[in-house]
Amino acid sequence: MKDYRQQFWLGARDLLPLISGAAPFGMIVGATGISLGMSPEMVMGMTALFFAGSAQLAAFSLIQDNAPFVIILATTMVINLRFCIYSATFAPLLGPLPKRYRFTLAYMLSDQAYGLCSMPAQMQKTAAERVWYLAGVALGLYVTWMISVMLGIVLGAGIPPGWSLEFTIPLAFLAMLVTTITSRLLFMVAVISGSCAVLFQQLPFNTGFIVAVVAGVSAGLLLPGLLKKGASSDE
């Protein structure tokens, strides 16, 4: 049991460098919700329901633009599609657990948890050690996220724009992205998706993001076959 507790605290410790990106992000989410006229209870309830800052912030932006409900729903669903991949990755690990633990850990999945727990060093551990490590990362981020959103609600719209806290958001995602690009295929998918996001950023209601996601997923599905054919023809 002592070794498992060590894994829990190791996960919480490994999360610390990523908190610098998650905490300001949470503050922005909380402040943005209040600036839109939402009550603190509504913002915190939405935060607990989503537990996905990028989707929540996108929803806030679309609400501010008076986007149709269908667009808001489609955008948040597309943004959160990555959690289907995360869930599939962790299914063999979490499947044998009792429902109360399996559902709780599945609810607390995040980009940070996926990035840290999918590292080669973690994949070599036993299933029990990996579960405890995941619990440390997930719970640590959940507590951090809720506290940071609360701070954003307290500060409201009083955060000076000159602080440019939103700049920490892409930095955090870029840091995780770099660690996951381990092959030419992943690099090509990242370039295609990122290029589409830039090219189509002027589309209304952030639909350019949906185009970028579709392009990235399509590239991930088609490129392996194309690269394999290219290699075969070279031989």
Side-chain angles (χ1 to χ4, degrees):
M1 187 65 178
K2 183 178 179 181
D3 293 337
Y4 297 154
R5 289 179 179 176
Q6 289 177 347
Q7 292 300 317
F8 178 90
W9 291 113
L10 177 62
R13 188 196 69 183
D14 289 348
L15 176 69
L16 290 177
L18 300 179
I19 288 179
S20 61
F25 194 179
M27 293 173 63
I28 293 170
V29 169
T32 302
I34 294 299
S35 69
L36 291 177
M38 296 182 177
S39 66
E41 295 81 8
M42 185 179 296
V43 175
M44 289 306 301
M46 191 175 181
T47 301
L49 178 64
F50 273 63
F51 191 47
S54 54
Q56 188 173 354
L57 201 58
F60 283 161
S61 176
L62 293 172
I63 291 172
Q64 190 173 27
D65 294 338
N66 295 316
F69 173 76
V70 174
I71 295 295
I72 298 174
L73 181 62
T75 300
T76 54
M77 288 183 65
V78 169
I79 291 174
N80 287 337
L81 276 178
R82 67 191 188 280
F83 289 108
C84 294
I85 301 175
Y86 299 168
S87 298
T89 302
F90 287 112
L93 178 65
L94 301 181
L97 297 178
K99 289 183 179 179
R100 62 182 180 277
Y101 299 125
R102 183 167 73 245
F103 290 167
T104 300
L105 288 174
Y107 162 72
M108 291 194 294
L109 286 181
S110 62
D111 300 295
Q112 291 84 349
Y114 178 78
L116 290 173
C117 296
S118 61
M119 293 291 186
Q122 299 303 321
M123 299 298 289
Q124 295 174 1
K125 294 180 179 179
T126 65
E129 289 174 337
R130 290 176 62 201
V131 167
W132 279 88
Y133 182 87
L134 171 61
V137 176
L139 186 59
L141 182 64
Y142 183 83
V143 172
T144 300
W145 181 251
M146 291 299 172
I147 292 176
S148 62
V149 173
M150 288 181 187
L151 289 175
I153 290 173
V154 172
L155 294 174
I159 299 178
W163 286 14
S164 298
L165 292 182
E166 66 277 6
F167 188 62
T168 62
I169 300 171
L171 286 181
F173 280 105
L174 282 174
M176 289 185 290
L177 176 64
V178 170
T179 62
T180 58
I181 298 178
T182 56
S183 67
R184 182 177 63 165
L185 173 62
L186 293 176
F187 175 76
M188 293 173 67
V189 170
V191 170
I192 291 172
S193 182
S195 299
C196 288
V198 173
L199 290 173
F200 297 104
Q201 63 177 324
Q202 299 300 326
L203 291 179
F205 303 130
N206 286 334
T207 49
F209 176 82
I210 298 178
V211 173
V213 171
V214 172
V217 172
S218 300
L221 291 174
L222 299 175
L223 281 177
L226 295 175
L227 292 175
K228 188 175 180 179
K229 289 182 180 178
S232 300
S233 61
D234 292 338
E235 294 176 358

